[in-house]
Amino acid sequence: MTTDTVPLTLGFSPCPNDTYIFHALVHGLVDTGGLTFRERLEDVETLNRLALEGALDVSKVSYHALGFLRDEYVLLRSGGALGRGCGPLVVTRGAASMAELRGKPVAVPGRYTTAVLLLRLFDPSLDNLVYLPFHEIMGAVARGEVAAGVIIHESRFTFPEYGLSKLLDLGEWWEGETGCPIPLGGIVARRSLGREAVAAIDRALRASVVHARTNPGAAAGYIRAHSQEMSDEVCAAHIDLYVNDFSLQLGPEGEGAVATLLQRAEASGVIPRSTAPLFEV
């Protein structure tokens, strides 16, 4: 592939944190080292599956999916979602404890999401999983179609509107268990692009995050165009929760958190073992 003439396929979600982060990159507001991109906006589980099919050059993916992608893709150090106080929530209409959910249907937002990985690490016996698009989970729980649901994204701000209560914060559990922030989603690039191109993408992505943080409001129209059903307040809360210094650069703490998650997932047999280096450099 001649990356300086052929646009790279770039996948990310329409969620406010992603459109905020990628706005400057896809609109040519930062130096991309001659690379161009053709964006594709999809929900995170669709992105996971597209990457698993090898259909994207660069993509946001769940860290659970990364466990299946390491031979073909490398992780970038910028642009991802990793932090504290931002993990998936288990919500219910009536269950009083997680133990009550054993054997009962629990709705989860896609097979390869980090939410599913965390639930399996928390209690492997919770295996009656119902896979639903993330935005359908709260309704399914409220209607009694499932006993509980694992919610992500803006759902963590709106679940009380459905008459639901929080049973467990999986991110809080993870932090208490490991001391690490929770890795939710990262940006990957195809290994076959080569080290030089991967490094250029990572630099451009970091610059895009810097641009967003130093130009508040610049991406507002782009964010709003892809989140029309969300209030301005929820959009702002979404960005504040999922975009932080780890989005700028994973750093040693972030890289350690990712390594811990993948090691535990390997040890539990949830993802295959891999000897491929996680980063290009």
Side-chain angles (χ1 to χ4, degrees):
M1 172 181 286
T2 307
T3 55
D4 58 349
T5 57
V6 178
L8 299 176
T9 50
L10 169 63
F12 55 95
S13 84
C15 292
N17 60 307
D18 280 355
T19 49
Y20 173 88
I21 283 173
F22 284 96
H23 169 261
L25 179 67
V26 300
H27 288 86
L29 302 177
V30 295
D31 181 10
T32 63
L35 302 174
T36 58
F37 300 90
R38 184 174 71 253
E39 73 264 41
R40 179 169 177 177
L41 278 68
E42 303 281 359
D43 69 271
V44 67
E45 182 66 357
T46 299
L47 294 173
N48 289 338
R49 292 184 178 278
L50 287 169
L52 288 164
E53 294 166 5
L56 297 168
D57 295 311
V58 183
S59 186
K60 173 77 169 284
V61 298
S62 301
Y63 274 106
H64 185 184
L66 175 63
F68 297 88
L69 292 166
R70 290 177 287 177
D71 289 343
E72 301 298 329
Y73 289 85
V74 293
L75 180 64
L76 303 186
R77 290 183 167 89
S78 300
L82 184 151
R84 297 184 184 275
C86 60
L89 306 179
V90 181
V91 297
T92 181
R93 196 174 62 164
S97 70
M98 292 297 291
E100 285 185 32
L101 299 179
R102 291 171 184 161
K104 296 180 180 178
V106 177
V108 293
R111 187 177 301 273
Y112 296 102
T113 57
T114 305
V116 169
L117 172 56
L118 288 172
L119 187 68
R120 293 183 66 182
L121 292 177
F122 173 78
D123 186 350
S125 70
L126 296 170
D127 56 3
N128 187 357
L129 304 182
V130 178
Y131 299 103
L132 292 176
F134 80 91
H135 59 277
E136 296 180 8
I137 290 176
M138 291 186 294
V141 180
R143 292 187 298 270
E145 296 168 3
V146 291
V150 183
I151 59 171
I152 58 176
H153 301 327
E154 66 273 8
S155 299
R156 65 179 292 128
F157 305 114
T158 58
F159 72 87
E161 298 171 13
Y162 289 76
L164 306 179
S165 58
K166 180 180 72 174
L167 197 56
L168 176 68
D169 184 326
L170 283 165
E172 189 176 277
W173 165 77
W174 168 265
E175 292 174 40
E177 184 81 4
T178 67
C180 298
I182 178 62
L184 297 171
I187 315 302
V188 296
R190 198 191 300 276
R191 288 186 185 274
S192 60
L193 294 174
R195 179 170 296 187
E196 185 177 337
V198 168
I201 296 165
D202 214 350
R203 287 194 300 271
L205 190 49
R206 178 183 170 91
S208 192
V209 178
V210 170
H211 186 280
R213 297 178 80 176
T214 54
N215 295 275
Y222 188 60
I223 294 167
R224 173 52 59 203
H226 295 287
S227 58
Q228 295 177 1
E229 297 180 2
M230 219 180 291
S231 70
D232 290 340
E233 292 76 18
V234 170
C235 275
H238 192 117
I239 293 168
D240 288 343
L241 183 65
Y242 295 111
V243 181
N244 52 39
D245 288 345
F246 291 118
S247 306
L248 189 64
Q249 188 84 357
L250 279 176
E253 186 181 13
E255 291 182 26
V258 174
T260 298
L261 182 67
L262 295 177
Q263 287 164 4
R264 292 194 173 214
E266 283 184 348
S268 299
V270 180
I271 64 172
R273 296 188 180 275
S274 173
T275 58
L278 193 55
F279 301 97
E280 182 63 49
V281 291

